[in-house]
Each structure stands twice: as structure tokens, then as C-alpha cells.
Amino acid sequence: MLFSGLASAQRFEQTDSLQELTLEQADSLFFRFSHHYTINYNFIVRADSLALVSHETDIIDTSYVYKDDRIAVANISQTDSDTIWIKIFRDQMTMGWTTENALLDSTMPDDTISQAINYFMHHISMMIFILVCLALIGILFWKINRVYSVFLIILEIATVAVFVFLQHDAPEYLWEYYFNPSVNPFILPREMMILLLLVWMILIVLMAYVFILFDYISHKYHFNDTSESLNGAEN
């Protein structure tokens, strides 16, 4: 009874706090969960330029932000035509409105992980090349260490399988991670946690490969040097 009473009180407090939100705050919260970013979110321009107008209905007074400019979301507006307009702020002299589609096509989140994801999204051939290289590493190191070779290939297959599953059945998780990435898998939803853990395990196995390879090379050359010294002494 005590625990149920505490739970009821907690639910009441949460509901009561939600009721105290203004309409603008509620809209901002809904937009955050449905679009994965909100006011004050930071982007970096990746296109050559992005045009900004002084108002959603104004197409004459135009300013521009350019590649590598860092910008922030200052306001969000949705017109009757369901077009979402985003007010962008670079500095006191450069600010204006653009559509959400134009914004997302011309920018990427101002975060290193997001930028890496954006790069691979637009260079899918590079991702395929990396996957092939990882598979080749497993095959080439088969004689040096079969356990790590098999483990690496299994991890690679599992990572691709989980990614394809998320892409088809839970794309919102991928978009949320793209806009709000983290290196800590344990604060993410279960599906994303599994994917990030697999990526971390691949990186750990690759680091282990580096140590194994250096150890293998040092032992091999040390053995050769020792053999040559013994042969020289016998002669």
C-alpha cells in the first residue's frame, strides 16, 4: 500500500507538472521528440551556402550562411501548408528563416560522432570498403590468431544485421542517435545499446589485433636474429 501510494503521488506530480507547461513549451517538447532537435540546437553548414529569408513569407530579403559556419536554431514555425520553417542564428548580423528540408539537406549536427555518421551516410561505398577490409583482416590473421579472426567476422556480421534491422524496423532510434549521439551504450534504448556495444567490441578486437601483430612480428624477428647469431657462432 505504501509503495502504491508513493507511485500514485509520483504520477500525480508528473501529470501536474505537465499541465503547468505552456502551449509553446508543449509544442517545443513534442517537436523535440518527433524531430530529434529543438530550439538552441547547433548545426554546422556542410553545403556551399544556405539561404535565409527575413520572414517565412519573405523571399526577397535574403542572407546566406556558408560552409563550415556554425549556426543555432532560434525559433520554429509551422505554416498552414504544413511547411516547417526554422529560424537560424549565426551572429547578430546574420539570422533568418529557412525550411526544415533545406536546413537538414545543407547542414549536419555540430558533433564529431554525428559528422562521422553523416560522412558514411553520404559515402556508402566507403562503409562497404571498411567492412571488406575488416573481413580481410580476419582472414589474413587467421593463422596468427584464429579466435580473434572468427570473433571479428562474427561481430561484423552481427553489427550489419542489427543496423539493417534498425534501419527497417526502428529508424527513429537511428535518427535520435544521429542528432544526439553518445559513446556510452548503457544510456541508450536496448536496440541502440546492442549496436553500439558491437561497434565498441569491434574496436577492442582491432586493438587486440594490433598488439598481437606487433608481438608476432617481434618474436619472429627476435627468433631469426637469435638463429643467425647461433649459426654465426657455430661457423
Side-chain angles (χ1 to χ4, degrees):
M1 292 293 291
L2 175 61
F3 289 110
S4 62
L6 290 174
S8 299
Q10 185 178 15
R11 285 196 297 271
F12 172 77
E13 290 175 0
Q14 291 174 347
T15 305
D16 186 58
S17 65
L18 289 175
Q19 289 176 348
E20 292 176 359
L21 291 176
T22 64
L23 181 60
E24 183 179 352
Q25 290 172 329
D27 288 342
S28 178
L29 187 62
F30 176 78
F31 188 89
R32 162 63 182 84
F33 285 112
S34 59
H35 293 254
H36 313 291
Y37 69 93
T38 187
I39 295 173
N40 295 326
Y41 190 88
N42 296 318
F43 288 94
I44 183 170
V45 181
R46 65 178 181 85
D48 292 335
S49 63
L50 173 63
L52 307 176
V53 296
S54 60
H55 194 267
E56 303 100 301
T57 59
D58 188 358
I59 59 173
I60 299 175
D61 187 9
T62 306
S63 60
Y64 293 87
V65 289
Y66 298 95
K67 188 173 183 178
D68 297 331
D69 280 351
R70 283 173 166 77
I71 56 178
V73 176
N75 202 354
I76 300 168
S77 175
Q78 186 167 351
T79 63
D80 295 335
S81 62
D82 292 334
T83 300
I84 297 174
W85 285 85
I86 311 295
K87 187 175 184 179
I88 296 303
F89 174 90
R90 189 189 70 181
D91 51 50
Q92 294 292 341
M93 301 298 295
T94 307
M95 64 182 75
W97 295 84
T98 185
T99 62
E100 183 185 41
N101 290 337
L103 173 68
L104 297 182
D105 287 343
S106 303
T107 64
M108 56 186 168
D110 189 10
D111 182 277
T112 304
I113 298 176
S114 298
Q115 292 168 21
I117 295 172
N118 183 277
Y119 178 83
F120 287 119
M121 286 170 58
H122 290 85
H123 299 81
I124 191 66
S125 57
M126 179 64 71
M127 177 62 75
I128 295 174
F129 175 76
I130 290 175
L131 293 176
V132 171
C133 286
L134 291 178
L136 289 176
I137 288 173
I139 295 171
L140 292 174
F141 283 177
W142 176 261
K143 293 183 179 180
I144 298 176
N145 194 302
R146 294 187 178 184
V147 174
Y148 280 110
S149 298
V150 172
F151 195 36
L152 178 63
I153 294 174
I154 290 175
L155 286 174
E156 184 180 345
I157 294 172
T159 302
V160 172
V162 173
F163 180 79
V164 171
F165 166 78
L166 287 170
Q167 196 173 34
H168 286 84
D169 294 345
E172 289 299 309
Y173 285 152
L174 292 175
W175 281 114
E176 174 63 23
Y177 187 77
Y178 172 65
F179 282 99
N180 302 280
S182 172
V183 295
N184 181 5
F186 301 107
I187 64 173
L188 301 174
R190 181 181 58 186
E191 292 82 354
M192 284 302 304
M193 179 184 71
I194 293 172
L195 179 63
L196 195 58
L197 282 173
L198 287 170
V199 173
W200 271 115
M201 291 172 70
I202 288 175
L203 294 176
I204 292 171
V205 171
L206 288 175
M207 291 176 62
Y209 260 132
V210 172
F211 287 110
I212 292 171
L213 181 60
F214 275 111
D215 186 64
Y216 174 80
I217 293 173
S218 62
H219 276 77
K220 183 177 181 180
Y221 278 96
H222 178 71
F223 177 77
N224 290 338
D225 292 342
T226 304
S227 300
E228 290 176 0
S229 299
L230 291 175
N231 291 334
E234 291 175 357
N235 295 332

